[in-house]
Amino acid sequence: MNKVLRFALYLILLIFSLPIFAKQKILIIESYHSEYRWDQSYIEGIQSVLNDDFELIYFQMDGKRIAKSQHQQQADLAWTFFQETQPDLVIL
């Protein structure tokens, strides 16, 4: 019986400690697109500093290739993506 209680306690501690080991999510909302040199440059800079300590997720606004009339629609998509991913931090 003692072994069963000890095992149950270890299991409970493991379950409740899992969020501590999860990487924090950082959403990077790119103004343009990943092929654009400006985006490549600052993404490389961010990645070089943060290394593998965080989970980086990206959303591309694609502002250079879409019509201005589509900017609000793209912003709405970015907002939806933000709500779905629930990041700990957003970099714009």
Side-chain angles (χ1 to χ4, degrees), residues 25 57 81-89:
K25 286 190 284 189
I57 48 180
F81 188 75
F82 165 81
Q83 291 175 316
E84 289 171 357
T85 57
Q86 298 183 351
D88 298 295
L89 177 70

Side-chain angles (χ1 to χ4, degrees), residues 20-34:
I20 295 171
F21 299 112
K23 290 183 179 182
Q24 290 183 315
K25 286 190 284 189
I26 299 177
L27 170 59
I28 299 173
I29 298 181
E30 300 177 58
S31 300
Y32 306 126
H33 56 281
S34 61

Side-chain angles (χ1 to χ4, degrees), residues 4-92:
V4 173
L5 286 175
R6 192 175 325 153
F7 176 76
L9 179 61
Y10 289 141
L11 186 61
I12 290 170
L13 289 174
L14 177 65
I15 290 170
F16 286 110
S17 66
L18 286 178
I20 295 171
F21 299 112
K23 290 183 179 182
Q24 290 183 315
K25 286 190 284 189
I26 299 177
L27 170 59
I28 299 173
I29 298 181
E30 300 177 58
S31 300
Y32 306 126
H33 56 281
S34 61
E35 293 83 26
Y36 195 68
R37 186 63 195 139
W38 165 255
D39 276 29
Q40 291 174 359
S41 176
Y42 76 78
I43 293 295
E44 289 171 8
I46 291 169
Q47 290 172 340
S48 72
V49 172
L50 298 180
N51 300 317
D52 293 326
D53 297 333
F54 299 89
E55 177 185 354
L56 302 178
I57 48 180
Y58 305 90
F59 183 89
Q60 298 176 18
M61 293 296 290
D62 210 8
K64 287 283 189 189
R65 298 190 296 191
I66 63 172
K68 285 188 178 190
S69 61
Q70 294 178 301
H71 284 184
Q72 183 59 53
Q73 179 183 1
Q74 196 71 354
D76 293 340
L77 289 173
W79 177 248
T80 300
F81 188 75
F82 165 81
Q83 291 175 316
E84 289 171 357
T85 57
Q86 298 183 351
D88 298 295
L89 177 70
V90 178
I91 297 175
L92 302 172

